[in-house]
Structures are given as structure tokens and as C-alpha cells.
């Protein structure tokens, strides 16, 4: 049974522009499903509804139509079965790295010694044990993102949702964190859905890439690269990587680039 | 590639936390303030004797008057009688104003129901209410507390309210996504995020509370530091009149530093984040 199922999900936002209400059809019937332990990438041009889809799966936003199920249950709001990693980490600035990881656990009702131990072990998993007493402004962008990942993982969710988790990072840091995410996935076997603009990242990490355009799923591409994919350089040179990357790139550009450029 | 090589690439605490070489000479903020006080005080002292003692005074004359009052015990009695309603009124204002501001800022319905009174109370000259307060509460301790409370609560409440409105939606969503109950969102996200605003409101409220205290002492039972000012003025003893004025200034500055200290204890991330020039 699929872990996450979206069926004909519709989302319409109402905007007030100059006093007149305007409708934005962010999702016009989106369907896809994610198997347990799978990594799925959502990609597509800006404004196509990736963040909206992810927020609906998380329960931060409610759909106007269709259905969303996680582990067979209808999504009615947020739950500890899903963990969110935000694009800009969104750490609580008054808490240390450790305190931020503790936050999710506290909300789950973990107390006392177990709270500290679990928070520390997840910081260790993302390689930040030495910096656990630092506050967010004393951490680099990549370190903040790691804390955000540790915070989401610490509550042991079945599904990890990530919105452009590495989008704001430089190329080197991004590569380090991509490899780290792969190793975390290998260790924990979590189901992961992440949004990205970076086609390399999508093909490198995902088992399947969901291509969206203007609120619809345009294509779902299977990536048949072997795991583990820890050796990033070798994976990039793999024939399948090159082929799928080109396929997705062409599919995206068929929509985005005016005819004159073809 | 193994995890070890990855972890080695990751920046760790050790490579960043190297102690900096110390600057040879650093002009401390305290030194600048002290120097400024000495200069202004000296100029005042020099200009003083040429003034008519009825219309002005100068530091050494004020000091003498102050010592005289301190020796007779009048000064201490006045300070204590001023501070008691001040402390009670101010703390009560914080105790009521902060939770009220949090609720108004967080819940639209509370804002719709109560917000208008807070805005009105903040903008209107509350001193106009003093005669009414005297009818309600008499001339003693209670009326002073009431006046101080009334003037101090609005800046605290309105700042807290403003602070809650400024809490980024993204931080609230962190709470929502981890299924935080409303009380946890309030205690663990809204309150700490609002703390810098609350403290700013408490600083503003010190000034208002000092005004309220003196006004109360002028108009209700004449007493305390305000009472000394009034009595000295009636006796044309200008030097004596300056003593409580200076004490009030010192008190306001001292309390503001105390609140600032509180800020550094409670909200250190805020001070560290601000981009103020050190020199
Ligand atoms: N809260 C909102 N109110 C109104 N419109 C919204 C809101 N959130 C998103 N939209 C609209 O919905 C559409 C999809 O937005 P969404 O943020 O999901 O895009 P995206 O694919 O994540 O884009 P990007 O790659 O730029 O992050 C856009 O047209 C956007 O303007
Ligand atoms: Mg987005």
C-alpha cells in the first residue's frame, strides 16, 4: 500500500487585489502516490504549485477538493507521522541547536532524560554534535538546515517533507548535504518527498521525479539508478542519470521556452 | 565515499572558536558617558553662581541641599513613600498589560473586542482622569497605584500587541507542523518572539510611570519626591527643588538600565542580532 496518496487534489487561493477578489488555481487536480521508503522529488517551473502540494500533504493547508491520504488515513491537519523541513530552516532564534531539535520532541510529549538523549543523537546524525549549544544566528546556512532536518527526523515521522531544503545553499554545501540525506535515508529508510528546482538534485536523490506545470502533474519519471548513491561523482556519470536529466530538462523546456528558441 | 569523509568536511565548533587577539585600547561606553556628565556638570557649575538663585541652581548648591535633606531623614522617607506606589503600580501594569497584549495580538476576536480601548487609552491624556480617580480611590496609597498603573499599562500592552503581530507566520507554522497545542504556541513561540517588544514597552512605561508618580504626588496627598518639589517651590528654595528632580532622573535611568539588563538575560539573541555600531 502506498504511504502517501494524492487523488485529484484541487487548491484555489482567493487573492484580494485592489479590493477585488481574484482566484488563483494553484492545484488543478493533482494525483500521485509515494511508496514506503521511496524518495520522490517534486519539480517544475516557479509557481506551478510544488510548495502548495507539499503543504497540503503536511496539513498546513487544506485542499478544496480531492483527497490526501498518509498511511491510509485522510489528512485533516498536521501530525507526528509527518515531519517538515522548511526552505529557510525556520529555527527558533532563542533556542540553541539542541533546543530546536528538542522542540518537536517536546510537542510529541517526550520528557526528561530521553528528550535530551534523543535530541543529541539526531544532532549527531546530521554531524552537529559539537555545535549543539549554538544559537541559530551563530550557525551557517548549511548548519541551520541540518538542525532543521534533525528537528524533523527526531520525532521519527514516517514521511519527511522538504521544501527546497538546499535551495539557499552554495554548491559545495549542497553536495555535502545531498550525500548526507542519502546516507540518512539509507540508515532510516524514511519516505521522503522533497521539492527542488535543481534537476541534478532531483535525479540524484529521487526514485521518481514528479514534474509539475501550472498546477498539474505533467509527467512522472522513474529513475533507475542503483542505491546506495553515496558516490555522487560516479552517479552523475551514470548513463541513466544523464538520460533522465536530459528527459526532464526537455519536458520542462517544452513549456517554459518560447517557440522561437527551439 | 563514507560518512566519515562527509563529516570531516562539515564545519565544526573547533575550527571556528579560536579566541581573537584583544584590541589594545577600547573606549568603553561607560567612559564616554562619564566624560560627558563631567563636562556638562562643570559647565553648569561655572554658569550657576551668575544665576539668580530663585530661578536656577547649580550642582554644588543642589548637593548641599541634598545632604541637608538626607541628614534630616526627609529624603529617605520621601523616596520610600514614592517608590512603594511606583513599584506596585508598575509591576501590576506589567502583570496585566503583558498577558492582555498577548491575547489581543494572538486572537482576532479579542483584538476586535478590546483593542479599541487600548488604542484609545494609549493616545488620550490620562492625566485628565486624576480628579475622577481621587473621587473613586481617595487620596492615599491606592489612588497613586491606580494612576501609575493607568499610565504604565498602555505602552506595555500596546507594544506587546504590536510584537505579537510581528511574529513571523513561519515560526507559528513550525508550531503547527509539530502539532503544538495553543498554550505551547503561546508559551514557546509567541512569548519568546515577542519578548524584545515587551521589554521596549516596559522601558517606555518607566518614563510614563515616573510622570504618573509625580503627578499623583502633586494632586493627591502631597507626599514623596513630588511633595518635596512642591514644598520647596512654595518656599522659593530652588536648590532643594532640584534634589528630587535629580533623584527622579537617576531613578529613571537606573530602572531603564535594569530593564536593559533583563533584556540581555532574557533575550540575548536579540542584542546579538542587532547591527549597532560599537564605536
Ligand atoms: N497563500 C497564498 N495566497 C494566494 N496565492 C498563493 C498562496 N500560496 C501560493 N499561491 C499561489 O499559488 C501558486 C502556486 O504557488 P506555490 O508556492 O505552490 O508555487 P511553487 O511551485 O512552490 O513555486 P516556487 O518554485 O517559486 O517556490 C502561485 O501562483 C502562487 O501565487
Ligand atoms: Mg515553493
Amino acid at each position: 500500500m502506498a504511504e502517501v496518496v494524492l487523488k485529484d487534489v484541487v487548491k484555489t487561493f482567493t487573492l484580494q487585489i485592489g479590493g477585488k477578489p481574484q482566484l488563483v488555481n494553484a492545484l488543478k487536480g493533482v494525483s500521485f502516490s509515494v511508496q514506503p521508503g521511496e524518495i520522490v522529488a517534486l519539480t517544475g517551473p516557479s509557481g506551478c504549485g510544488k510548495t502548495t502540494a507539499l503543504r497540503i500533504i503536511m496539513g498546513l493547508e487544506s485542499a478544496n477538493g480531492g483527497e490526501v491520504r498518509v498511511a491510509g488515513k485522510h489528512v485533516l491537519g498536521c501530525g507526528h507521522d509527518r515531519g517538515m523541513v522548511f526552505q529557510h530552516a525556520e529555527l527558533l532564534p532563542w533556542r540553541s541547536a539542541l533546543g530546536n531539535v528538542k522542540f518537536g520532541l517536546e510537542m510529541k510529549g517526550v520528557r526528561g532524560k530521553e528528550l535530551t538523549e534523543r535530541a543529541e543523537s539526531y544532532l549527531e546524525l546530521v554531524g552537529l554534535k559539537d555545535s549543539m549549544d549554538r544559537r541559530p544566528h551563530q550557525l551557517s546556512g548549511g548548519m541551520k538546515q541540518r538542525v532543521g532536518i534533525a528537528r524533523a527526523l527526531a520525532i521519527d515521522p514516517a514521511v519527511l517533507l522538504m521544501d527546497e531544503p538546499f535551495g539557499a545553499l552554495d554548491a559545495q554545501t549542497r553536495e555535502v548535504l545531498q550525500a548526507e540525506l542519502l546516507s540518512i535515508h539509507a540508515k532510516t529508510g524514511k519516505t521522503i518527498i522533497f521539492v527542488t528546482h535543481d534537476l541534478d538534485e532531483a535525479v540524484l536523490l529521487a526514485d521518481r521525479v514528479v514534474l509539475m506545470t501550472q498546477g498539474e502533474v505533467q509527467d512522472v519519471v522513474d529513475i533507475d539508478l542503483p542505491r546506495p548513491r553515496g558516490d555522487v561523482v560516479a552517479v552523475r556519470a551514470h548513463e541513466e542519470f544523464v538520460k533522465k536529466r536530459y528527459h526532464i530538462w526537455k519536458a520542462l523546456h517544452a513549456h517554459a521556452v518560447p517557440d522561437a528558441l527551439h | 565515499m563514507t560518512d566519515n569523509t562527509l563529516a570531516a568536511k562539515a564545519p565544526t565548533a573547533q575550527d571556528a572558536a579560536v579566541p581573537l587577539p584583544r584590541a589594545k585600547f577600547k573606549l568603553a561606553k561607560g567612559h564616554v558617558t562619564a566624560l560627558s556628565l563631567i563636562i556638562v556638570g562643570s559647565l553648569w557649575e561655572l554658569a550657576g553662581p551668575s544665576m539668580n538663585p530663585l530661578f536656577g541652581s547649580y550642582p554644588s548648591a543642589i548637593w548641599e541641599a541634598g545632604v541637608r535633606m538626607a541628614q534630616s531623614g526627609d529624603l529617605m522617607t520621601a523616596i520610600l513613600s514614592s517608590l512603594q506606589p511606583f513599584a506596585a503600580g508598575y509591576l501590576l501594569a506589567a502583570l496585566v498589560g503583558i498577558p492582555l497584549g498577548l491575547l489581543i495580538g494572538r486572537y482576532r476576536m479579542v483584538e476586535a473586542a478590546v483593542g479599541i480601548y487600548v488604542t484609545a487609552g494609549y493616545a488620550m491624556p490620562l492625566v485628565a482622569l486624576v480628579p475622577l480617580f481621587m473621587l473613586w480611590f481617595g487620596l492615599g496609597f491606592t489612588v497613586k497605584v491606580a494612576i501609575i498603573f493607568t499610565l504604565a499599562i498602555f505602552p506595555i500592552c500596546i507594544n506587546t500587541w504590536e510584537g505579537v503581530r510581528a511574529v513571523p507566520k513561519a515560526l507559528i507554522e513550525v508550531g503547527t507542523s509539530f502539532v503544538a497545542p495553543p498554550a505551547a504556541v503561546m508559551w514557546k513561540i509567541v512569548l519568546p518572539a515577542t519578548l524584545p517588544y515587551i521589554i521596549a514597552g516596559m522601558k517606555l512605561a518607566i518614563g510614563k510611570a515616573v510622570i504618573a508618580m509625580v503627578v499623583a504626588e502633586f494632586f493627591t496627598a502631597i507626599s514623596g519626591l513630588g511633595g518635596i518639589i512642591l514644598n520647596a517651590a512654595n518656599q522659593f528654595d530652588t536648590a532643594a527643588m532640584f534634589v528630587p528632580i535629580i533623584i527622579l532622573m537617576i531613578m529613571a535611568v537606573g530602572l531603564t538600565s535594569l530593564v536593559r539588563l533583563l533584556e540581555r538575560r532574557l533575550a540575548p539573541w536579540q542584542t546579538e542580532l542587532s547591527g549597532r555600531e560599537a564605536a
Side-chain angles (χ1 to χ4, degrees):
Chain A
M1 190 183 65
E3 183 84 38
V4 179
V5 180
L6 276 77
K7 221 175 131 200
D8 300 320
V9 174
V10 175
K11 178 71 189 180
T12 309
F13 289 107
T14 313
L15 286 175
Q16 295 288 337
I17 296 174
K20 271 178 268 164
Q22 221 180 60
L23 295 182
V24 180
N25 295 315
L27 300 179
K28 310 174 207 167
V30 166
S31 308
F32 64 87
S33 57
V34 182
Q35 302 302 319
E38 218 181 8
I39 305 185
V40 165
L42 295 182
T43 193
S46 191
C48 69
K50 306 179 293 289
T51 298
T52 308
L54 204 70
R55 286 169 59 86
I56 287 175
I57 300 170
M58 185 65 224
L60 283 170
E61 209 93 62
S62 57
N64 300 110
E67 59 176 58
V68 184
R69 289 168 183 273
V70 172
K73 278 182 299 190
H74 277 289
V75 170
L76 297 170
C78 300
H80 295 300
D81 55 342
R82 284 148 289 151
M84 184 85 164
V85 179
F86 296 87
Q87 181 171 5
H88 298 289
E90 307 302 352
L91 304 180
L92 305 176
W94 50 89
R95 286 186 175 225
S96 64
L98 186 69
N100 268 285
V101 179
K102 279 183 181 173
F103 179 80
L105 289 166
E106 287 167 18
M107 294 306 118
K108 211 184 166 184
V110 181
R111 294 278 178 278
K113 223 177 107 187
E114 197 196 342
L115 176 66
T116 313
E117 279 172 6
R118 268 175 75 176
E120 281 179 5
S121 74
Y122 278 94
L123 271 180
E124 193 164 14
L125 182 71
V126 298
L128 273 184
K129 194 136 198 276
D130 294 325
S131 307
M132 66 181 189
D133 294 325
R134 293 207 205 171
R135 287 215 189 78
H137 71 272
Q138 297 158 333
L139 298 170
S140 71
M143 290 159 111
K144 278 185 215 164
Q145 212 46 271
R146 283 198 178 103
V147 177
I149 294 170
R151 179 176 64 183
L153 281 173
I155 61 165
D156 196 22
V159 184
L160 192 64
L161 303 167
M162 309 171 98
D163 191 0
E164 300 189 41
F166 314 133
L169 306 175
D170 65 273
Q172 275 94 31
T173 313
R174 192 181 311 153
E175 272 188 14
V176 173
L177 285 189
Q178 284 168 349
E180 220 158 82
L181 187 69
L182 283 173
S183 94
I184 288 171
H185 178 253
K187 272 183 228 161
T188 61
K190 297 281 176 214
T191 307
I192 300 177
I193 304 175
F194 74 100
V195 170
T196 184
H197 273 127
D198 182 344
L199 297 189
D200 279 25
E201 181 170 286
V203 179
L204 182 67
L205 301 181
D207 296 299
R208 279 185 307 140
V209 178
V210 175
L211 246 165
M212 293 177 64
T213 29
Q214 295 172 16
E216 288 172 331
V217 175
Q218 184 194 341
D219 200 357
V220 179
V221 183
D222 289 309
I223 312 289
D224 293 315
L225 283 165
R227 292 197 187 272
R229 302 181 187 168
D231 190 346
V232 178
V233 181
V235 175
R236 276 179 209 283
H238 201 285
E239 189 189 345
E240 169 81 359
F241 181 91
V242 179
K243 204 175 86 193
K244 289 295 158 69
R245 193 195 179 288
Y246 181 65
H247 176 87
I248 296 168
W249 182 85
K250 253 182 90 172
L252 276 176
H253 282 247
H255 279 256
V257 182
D259 289 337
L261 289 179
H262 278 285
Chain B
M1 199 185 287
T2 65
D3 290 319
N4 288 340
T5 53
L6 287 174
K9 267 196 219 165
T12 58
Q14 284 96 329
D15 50 43
V18 178
L20 287 169
R22 288 197 60 123
K24 280 204 194 86
F25 177 74
K26 208 163 132 257
L27 198 60
K29 250 174 60 189
H31 295 157
V32 179
T33 309
L35 195 69
S36 162
L37 280 175
I38 290 168
I39 293 172
V40 172
S42 312
L43 289 176
W44 187 11
E45 182 70 33
L46 287 173
S50 58
M51 265 190 283
N52 181 335
L54 199 56
F55 295 121
S57 194
Y58 49 95
S60 57
I62 298 168
W63 176 256
E64 274 167 37
V67 170
R68 199 162 13 91
M69 275 188 242
Q71 276 164 352
S72 73
D74 292 348
L75 197 59
M76 213 50 218
T77 318
I79 290 175
L80 282 179
S81 108
S82 286
L83 274 182
Q84 283 162 6
F86 181 91
Y90 182 78
L91 290 178
L92 210 60
L95 221 63
V96 179
I98 296 169
L100 191 63
L102 288 173
L103 290 175
I104 299 175
R106 187 88 186 100
Y107 299 104
R108 276 170 211 275
M109 283 305 139
V110 182
E111 184 173 47
V114 192
I116 183 142
Y117 305 114
V118 177
T119 312
Y122 185 66
M124 84 165 266
L126 292 165
V127 177
L129 292 177
V130 170
L132 194 63
F133 275 30
M134 282 156 65
L135 288 176
W136 291 349
F137 300 111
L139 297 174
F141 180 78
T142 322
V143 73
K144 290 185 174 123
V145 174
I147 295 170
I148 293 165
F149 171 82
T150 311
L151 262 81
I153 188 172
F154 290 103
I156 295 178
C157 185
I158 215 158
N159 263 278
T160 308
W161 175 8
E162 209 51 55
V164 176
R165 288 171 51 112
V167 177
K169 186 169 164 240
L171 289 189
I172 304 291
E173 283 188 343
V174 169
T176 315
S177 70
F178 286 101
V179 206
V185 172
M186 192 61 121
W187 276 110
K188 298 193 169 183
I189 296 175
V190 175
L191 181 64
T194 309
L195 215 52
Y197 286 81
I198 295 177
I199 287 166
M202 289 187 62
K203 276 191 238 171
L204 288 175
I206 288 173
K208 294 263 187 178
V210 171
I211 295 174
M213 184 183 92
V214 175
V215 165
E217 287 165 347
F218 279 6
F219 290 109
T220 64
I222 293 173
S223 66
L225 291 168
I228 295 185
I229 297 176
L230 220 55
N231 288 332
N234 288 339
Q235 291 159 22
F236 305 107
D237 187 352
T238 309
M241 201 177 87
F242 267 104
V243 175
I245 292 177
I246 302 239
I247 289 177
L248 286 173
M249 275 163 54
I250 294 171
M251 202 176 106
V253 172
L255 285 172
T256 307
S257 331
L258 205 72
V259 174
R260 208 167 275 158
L261 201 77
L262 200 73
E263 178 173 25
R264 238 170 306 173
R265 289 298 301 260
L266 291 177
W269 72 91
Q270 190 62 25
T271 344
E272 289 163 24
L273 276 176
S274 78
R276 272 164 35 120
E277 207 68 60

